Amino acid sequence: YLRARFLWNQRDVSAVSESVDFFRRAAERDPGFALAHAGLADAYVILGIYGVRPPAEVYPTARDAASRALAIDPGLGEAVAAQACVAAVYDWDGRAAEEQFRCAIDLTPSYATAHQWYGMNVLLPQARFTEALAALDRALELDRMSPAIATGRGIVYLYSHDYQRARQQFDAVAKEHPHFGLVHHFLGLCHGAEGRLG
């Protein structure tokens, strides 16, 4: 399980794909280990968000894994957060997603990913930029080493058209995590929005 979480936190396509196998092994060794099922849900969510596998394949699988985790531990915020993310990005049900994310945060307030995904998948699409930044700031307080969360702050700035802050945020993440591909993608988008590609 710990190896799976380490790989998942890399947010690299191959590492997240590999984390699926480790989460599965953990769940097979101890079918009652709710966090392993929740981790499997998280891995499938990321594979869907990154477009690695078809949404119709990964999101129902993620939902099922989260449901297995909640059948074992109904108070597991990590599993509720995975379900909330599926509701947001697959079901397009912003109201249900917001309720579930708030529930996940109440259940496990120290789970950085719940704050991150709430900001990125509910607040940002609704142009609630101040709230999205607050959610990401809280996530970053809980997990200062996460390039995904730090990049998320830049994405909020980008979509709120604050290109200078977005670029500064992306540059800082790219300097600290030069092999994190997602930040380079969004840095390129930022340069394009600023007309700095020519």
Side-chain angles (χ1 to χ4, degrees):
Y1 172 79
L2 293 177
R3 177 69 177 161
R5 271 294 170 199
F6 171 78
L7 290 164
W8 180 80
N9 272 315
Q10 303 305 304
R11 295 301 208 279
D12 169 84
V13 169
S14 62
V16 174
S17 297
E18 191 179 355
S19 78
V20 169
D21 295 329
F22 282 95
F23 281 127
R24 274 199 187 125
R25 283 189 223 171
E28 287 167 4
R29 285 185 184 181
D30 182 358
F33 185 31
L35 282 171
H37 297 286
L40 189 58
D42 287 346
Y44 280 117
V45 163
I46 291 294
L47 292 174
I49 288 173
Y50 285 15
V52 177
R53 296 194 191 170
E57 173 191 326
V58 292
Y59 291 122
T61 305
R63 181 182 285 134
D64 290 346
S67 294
R68 280 194 299 278
L70 289 169
I72 298 163
D73 182 354
L76 189 64
E78 290 88 339
V80 177
Q83 286 190 330
C85 199
V86 173
V89 303
Y90 184 63
D91 299 332
W92 297 101
D93 189 343
R95 181 175 294 163
E98 182 154 10
E99 288 174 7
Q100 290 173 335
F101 275 124
R102 288 185 175 182
C103 176
I105 289 166
D106 285 344
L107 289 168
T108 313
S110 62
Y111 186 48
T113 299
H115 298 275
Q116 175 199 6
W117 284 355
Y118 177 46
M120 296 302 296
N121 298 308
V122 172
L123 301 173
L124 177 60
Q126 295 178 24
R128 292 160 63 184
F129 301 125
T130 302
E131 292 173 85
L133 279 174
L136 288 160
D137 285 345
R138 180 62 186 134
L140 210 51
E141 287 173 13
L142 294 165
D143 186 357
R144 293 203 174 274
M145 299 303 295
S146 171
I149 295 171
T151 298
R153 291 188 82 250
I155 294 169
V156 174
Y157 288 132
L158 177 65
Y159 285 107
S160 65
H161 305 289
D162 189 343
Y163 302 126
Q164 181 178 355
R165 281 189 181 167
R167 184 169 23 87
Q168 290 170 345
Q169 182 73 27
F170 295 142
D171 282 339
V173 177
K175 183 176 180 181
E176 193 166 341
H177 304 277
H179 301 293
F180 185 59
L182 193 65
V183 72
H184 297 288
H185 169 77
F186 281 101
L187 183 56
L189 290 180
C190 187
H191 284 304
E194 290 182 292
R196 296 162 55 99
L197 295 180

